[in-house]
Amino acid sequence: MLGLLGFYDELDNRPGQPNGSICDTVRPVGEPDEMDLVAYLDAGHVLVDVMEGGHDVITGSAHRHSPGCSSLVTDGSWLWRQDFAHYVETHHVSLPDAFIEHVRRLNYQMPTITVAQFAPHYDETLPLVGWASAVPWRSTAARLVPEPRAVTSEAQFDAATLAQGRNRPHGSWGRPRKPRRT
């Protein structure tokens, strides 16, 4: 079975998620190598790409992982939500010691996954995170090799959000438009 990261009660509409409440994991500061850990989480292999948007469950604001936030990501040993990196980076949520040691042993480099060894763990783990209807893992590839992915940094996201607000035309967007003549 895969280790589970970031499956909190507040991120799903069902209580009793594997990682409990996110409120219990927020800390004032993170690990000394937190940015390397976040980069590792961002580099994971995307297994299930979900087309939806979400907000930070603590602040209510959009964040860099809002699009596709509940997509499932792995390194072959651990499984996490795509937005988990945001919560580590922004709220310094605690990470299991076993995961931290695992990532440090790998020198923060995402490993290649041998599909034949990974598939049974995937099939066993998905029902635990609410994906009981997921089909068994099938892949035509023998190995999943890490590929560089363009990931927006928190600073880039914040700058783009600020610029978007400045580019909005003035006027009332809340007032309804007059009906068209027919």
Side-chain angles (χ1 to χ4, degrees):
M1 184 167 72
L2 301 170
L4 300 173
L5 301 168
F7 294 95
Y8 299 113
D9 291 341
E10 295 85 354
L11 300 177
D12 201 328
N13 57 1
R14 297 170 324 214
Q17 289 298 301
N19 298 123
S21 174
I22 194 169
C23 298
D24 297 336
T25 65
V26 173
R27 302 178 303 167
V29 296
E31 296 293 325
D33 56 349
E34 183 174 82
M35 292 317 300
D36 293 323
L37 294 166
V38 168
Y40 182 86
L41 291 167
D42 281 338
H45 302 277
V46 177
L47 297 176
V48 178
D49 198 2
V50 179
M51 299 293 292
E52 41 82 75
H55 289 80
D56 184 311
V57 296
I58 297 171
T59 66
S61 62
H63 56 81
R64 68 188 182 97
H65 289 301
S66 288
C69 59
S70 62
S71 297
L72 299 180
V73 183
T74 191
D75 65 357
S77 298
W78 293 84
L79 181 73
W80 59 92
R81 290 172 47 109
Q82 183 171 304
D83 61 352
F84 184 61
H86 162 75
Y87 292 102
V88 173
E89 179 178 43
T90 306
H91 302 293
H92 316 292
V93 297
S94 57
L95 295 164
D97 290 337
F99 174 74
I100 294 171
E101 291 169 16
H102 168 75
V103 174
R104 288 175 180 161
R105 266 193 318 273
L106 292 171
N107 200 27
Y108 309 98
Q109 300 298 309
M110 186 57 54
T112 296
I113 297 174
T114 303
V115 172
Q117 293 171 348
F118 172 72
H121 300 295
Y122 170 89
D123 295 341
E124 178 184 37
T125 305
L126 255 51
L128 299 176
V129 295
W131 288 77
S133 63
V135 296
W137 180 262
R138 291 183 186 95
S139 177
T140 57
R143 300 169 63 101
L144 300 178
V145 179
E147 295 179 14
R149 272 193 309 173
V151 178
T152 305
S153 72
E154 186 175 24
Q156 290 169 324
F157 177 82
D158 291 343
T161 302
L162 182 62
Q164 184 179 32
R166 283 194 306 260
N167 291 335
R168 180 174 252 177
H170 296 289
S172 174
W173 286 49
R175 189 174 28 192
R177 297 179 77 179
K178 291 181 183 177
R180 290 184 175 207
R181 290 186 189 176
T182 56

